[in-house]
Structures are given as structure tokens and as C-alpha cells.
Amino acid sequence: MIWRRRGDNTLRFVAAVPLGYAVASLWAAALARVLPMARSEATITGTLVALLLCALFAMYAYGARSGWRATWVLGLAGAAAGGIVCWSVMMTGRV
């Protein structure tokens, strides 16, 4: 029983810190590419939103029903942001 709790807490930590940071970074890139403003303003806005998202993802990881659920939800959010970035690169042709 104690190993199950330790495993769940470890999974929540992995979902909160490295995965949450990676997903927030993907959302920063996605927002910087699709926001309809100057590149510099879109980059700053995307970064500020990503800082907020990083904190929200960490809170969600510890508030979710289980560590696996937090990992899957953050993974889906990262896949959505990665899809937006890939779509934007294919449409505009610039990296």
C-alpha cells in the first residue's frame, strides 16, 4: 500500500514539474505563432500566458484524481499545443 502512494506521488511530481513545464512551453510557442499581433508582442504574451499555465498545470497535477490521470490530461494538452505549432509551421513555412 505504501509503495502505491509513493508511486502516485512520484508520478504527480513528474507530471507537475517536467511535463507541466514542457506543455507550458509548447503553449507559449503555439500562442506566439497564432496570436494576431506583432511577433514581439505575441512572443511576450505567449510567454506570460505560459507562466500562468505552468502554475495551473502543477496545481492540477496534485489536484487530479490520480497521477495517471494528471499525466494523460497534461499529455493531451501538450499534444494539442504541438499540433497547433506543427499546423502553423506547415501553413506559414517558417520556423
Side-chain angles (χ1 to χ4, degrees), residues 74-92:
L74 291 178
L76 289 175
I84 292 170
V85 171
C86 287
W87 170 80
S88 175
V89 168
M90 287 190 303
M91 288 296 138
T92 61

Side-chain angles (χ1 to χ4, degrees), residues 68-83:
W68 287 110
R69 184 179 193 131
T71 304
W72 277 104
V73 169
L74 291 178
L76 289 175

Side-chain angles (χ1 to χ4, degrees), residues 47-66:
T47 303
L48 289 174
V49 170
L51 287 172
L52 174 67
L53 286 176
C54 192
L56 291 176
F57 290 153
M59 285 188 280
Y60 175 74
Y62 282 100
R65 185 173 292 180
S66 70

Side-chain angles (χ1 to χ4, degrees), residues 8-27:
D8 191 56
N9 283 337
T10 303
L11 191 58
R12 287 176 191 268
F13 175 78
V14 169
V17 180
L19 185 61
Y21 180 76
V23 173
S25 298
L26 279 171
W27 276 107

